[in-house]
Amino acid sequence: MKTNISTEFVLLGALLQRPKHGYEILQFLESALGSTWQVSTSQLYVLVKRLEREGLLESTMESQDNRPSKRVFSLTPAGRKTFLEWVHSPTEHVRELRVELLAKLFFFRHFAMKGGTELVDAQIKTLKEIRQGLLKKKDKEQDGFERLVFGIKAMTIDTWLQWLRQEAKPFMRKVHSNE
Amino acid sequence: MKTNISTEFVLLGALLQRPKHGYEILQFLESALGSTWQVSTSQLYVLVKRLEREGLLESTMESQDNRPSKRVFSLTPAGRKTFLEWVHSPTEHVRELRVELLAKLFFFRHFAMKGGTELVDAQIKTLKEIRQGLLKKKDKEQDGFERLVFGIKAMTIDTWLQWLRQEAKPFMRKVHSNE
DNA sequence: GGATTCATGTAAGAGGTTACATGATTAT
DNA sequence: ATAATCATGTAACCTCTTACATGAATCC
C-alpha cells in the first residue's frame, strides 16, 4: 500500500466500527466529511476492490428482498492496524496537513478515540522541526525570490502551529470529555 | 489546454525571452525555480511535444558539430498570449497559491515585467472575496469539526493576505525600480 | 409520469512517475 | 578510467476523473 494515498486510509476508517457496503461508505463520507473530502462513486468501488486485494478489507455478498444484492466490506486485523497507525501519526509534510491531519482529527472526534491530544502534540513537534530546518536555509539564502518563498513557508507553518494550539487542542479535549 | 495544468504555463514562460531547446529549459527551471518547481526530464519532452501539437510552441531542429542535434522551441503568438494572460491573473483557489502564484511572481521578477503590483492587488481582492464567503458559511455552521475546518481555512487566507501585503508587494516594487 | 434513492460497476482518457535506452564529450 | 554534462526520447505503470451502463423501488 502506497503511504501517500490517504483516501484509502479514510475508507478503512469508515469501517472501523462496523462493516458497510460501498453505497453506505459513500453516504458516510458525504455526510460526515463531505466538505473536506470527496470520493467519486466509481473511484470508491475501485479502491475497496484494491484494499481487498491487499488484504486490508474482506467482503461478503448479501442478497436482499426488493433491492439489488450488496457487497459488505469489513476490516481485517491488518486493515485495522494500518488505520490505527495512520490515524495516530503526524504528517511529515506541510502540504499534507490540510487533507490528512483534518481527516485524522475528524476520526478522533467521530469515534471518541483516545490519543487525539497526543497527535496534536506530535504534530506540533514535527512542525517545529520543519520550521527549524527552514529558518537555517533562509538565513543562508541570498536570492530575493527564494527568501520570499521561505517567507510564506515559515508563515504557513506558524499559522498551523497557532491553530493546533488554539483550536485543535481544545477541540481534542472536548472529545475526551465525552468519553 | 487544460487550465489547471500550470507546468505548461511555466514552460511557456521559460521561452518568453528567447527560444530554448529541451535540455536548456530543464536547466533554466532547475536553477531558477528548482526549489518551487520540479519537472522530470521525461515529462518535459512529453509536455513540449504536447504544447507544439496545441499550437502554443513551434520547433526547428538544429544540428551541431560534436554534439547531438537539438530541437529548439519558440513561442507562437498564441503561446505568448496564453502565458501573458496566465501570468497576470490571480488564482481562484487557495490551494493553487503556493505553486501558481509564486511562479507568477518569479516571472515578474525574472523578466522585470510590469504589472506585478497589480497582480498582487488583484490576488488580495480575490482572497478577500473568498474569505467573505467562508465567514458567512462559518456563522451558519453548528458542527464542531466543520467549524474547525473553517478556522484553518480562514487563518490560511489571512496569512496569505498578510504575506501579500508585507512581503510580496514590497518585492514587486523592487522589481519595478529596476526597470 | 418523472425524479430521487438505492446499488454496483466498467471503460476511456488525461496526467504523472519511474525505469529504460542511447551515445558523445569533457572534466577529474 | 570514470563520473558528469550534454541531449533526446519511449514504455510501463499508477492514479484520478468523467462518461457510460444497468435496473428496481419509492416519493411527489
Side-chain angles (χ1 to χ4, degrees):
Chain A
M1 182 167 184
K2 310 298 174 299
T3 48
N4 56 333
I5 308 305
S6 43
T7 305
E8 291 174 338
F9 294 106
V10 172
L11 296 185
L12 297 178
L15 299 169
L16 189 69
Q17 286 188 320
R18 60 177 181 82
K20 292 188 177 75
H21 58 276
Y23 193 78
E24 218 175 343
I25 297 174
L26 276 170
Q27 285 178 311
F28 170 75
L29 294 180
E30 172 62 31
S31 65
L33 270 168
S35 63
T36 317
W37 213 289
Q38 289 121 61
V39 193
S40 67
T41 309
S42 48
Q43 183 66 359
L44 180 116
Y45 289 103
V46 172
L47 289 177
V48 287
K49 192 176 274 186
R50 186 154 82 216
L51 287 167
E52 185 168 17
R53 210 171 53 227
E54 287 166 350
L56 303 179
L57 296 184
E58 54 192 12
S59 71
T60 49
M61 286 299 283
E62 262 183 37
S63 50
Q64 307 176 100
D65 301 335
N66 300 339
R67 286 284 172 204
S69 315
K70 56 194 183 182
R71 181 174 292 277
V72 178
F73 294 92
S74 52
L75 281 180
T76 62
R80 178 173 300 270
K81 192 171 164 248
T82 300
F83 173 75
L84 290 174
E85 273 172 16
W86 173 77
V87 85
H88 283 96
S89 309
T91 67
E92 295 297 321
H93 303 285
V94 179
R95 63 172 175 274
E96 295 161 1
L97 287 171
R98 243 212 47 204
V99 168
E100 296 240 353
L101 183 66
L102 284 174
K104 288 173 188 182
L105 298 185
F106 165 79
F107 282 120
F108 275 104
R109 188 204 59 157
H110 190 76
F111 297 136
M113 282 193 299
K114 283 178 193 165
T117 309
E118 287 76 8
L119 173 65
V120 172
D121 286 335
Q123 190 67 70
I124 288 173
K125 201 184 156 211
T126 302
L127 283 180
K128 276 184 178 169
E129 286 164 12
I130 296 174
R131 194 162 162 277
Q132 287 288 308
L134 207 67
L135 293 179
K136 260 183 214 161
K137 275 197 242 163
K138 193 187 175 181
D139 285 342
K140 289 183 207 153
E141 190 58 56
Q142 295 297 313
D143 182 68
F145 176 71
E146 293 293 336
R147 291 181 64 84
L148 199 66
V149 174
F150 280 121
I152 187 63
K153 283 188 182 174
M155 282 174 80
T156 302
I157 292 175
D158 288 339
T159 301
W160 275 99
L161 283 169
Q162 200 190 329
W163 178 84
L164 282 164
R165 291 186 188 115
Q166 289 175 12
E167 300 198 34
K169 217 162 169 182
F171 182 75
M172 284 298 107
R173 272 198 286 273
K174 256 173 67 184
V175 169
H176 272 280
S177 67
N178 288 342
E179 278 173 38
Chain B
M1 183 166 184
K2 310 295 175 303
T3 47
N4 58 332
I5 306 305
S6 43
T7 305
E8 291 174 338
F9 295 107
V10 172
L11 296 185
L12 296 179
L15 299 170
L16 189 68
Q17 286 189 320
R18 60 176 181 82
K20 291 189 178 75
H21 58 277
Y23 193 77
E24 218 174 344
I25 296 174
L26 277 170
Q27 285 179 312
F28 169 74
L29 295 180
E30 172 62 31
S31 65
L33 269 170
S35 62
T36 318
W37 213 287
Q38 289 121 59
V39 192
S40 68
T41 307
S42 49
Q43 184 64 1
L44 179 116
Y45 289 104
V46 172
L47 289 177
V48 287
K49 192 176 272 185
R50 187 154 82 218
L51 287 167
E52 185 168 16
R53 209 171 54 228
E54 287 166 348
L56 302 179
L57 296 184
E58 55 193 12
S59 71
T60 48
M61 287 299 282
E62 263 183 34
S63 51
Q64 308 175 99
D65 302 334
N66 301 339
R67 286 283 174 204
S69 316
K70 56 194 184 183
R71 182 175 292 277
V72 178
F73 294 92
S74 52
L75 282 180
T76 62
R80 177 174 299 270
K81 190 168 167 252
T82 301
F83 173 75
L84 290 175
E85 271 172 17
W86 173 77
V87 84
H88 283 96
S89 310
T91 67
E92 294 297 322
H93 303 284
V94 179
R95 64 172 175 274
E96 295 160 0
L97 286 171
R98 245 213 42 206
V99 168
E100 297 240 353
L101 183 66
L102 284 174
K104 287 172 190 183
L105 297 185
F106 165 79
F107 282 120
F108 275 104
R109 189 204 60 158
H110 190 77
F111 297 136
M113 281 192 298
K114 283 179 194 166
T117 309
E118 288 75 9
L119 172 65
V120 173
D121 286 335
Q123 190 66 70
I124 289 172
K125 201 184 156 213
T126 301
L127 283 180
K128 277 185 180 170
E129 285 163 12
I130 296 174
R131 193 162 163 279
Q132 286 289 308
L134 207 66
L135 293 179
K136 260 184 214 163
K137 278 198 241 165
K138 193 186 177 183
D139 285 342
K140 289 183 206 152
E141 189 58 55
Q142 296 297 313
D143 181 69
F145 176 71
E146 294 292 337
R147 289 182 64 86
L148 199 67
V149 174
F150 281 122
I152 187 63
K153 282 187 182 175
M155 282 175 78
T156 301
I157 292 174
D158 288 339
T159 301
W160 274 100
L161 284 169
Q162 201 190 329
W163 177 84
L164 283 163
R165 290 184 188 116
Q166 289 174 13
E167 300 199 33
K169 217 160 166 181
F171 182 75
M172 283 298 108
R173 272 198 287 271
K174 256 171 71 185
V175 169
H176 273 280
S177 68
N178 287 342
E179 277 171 38

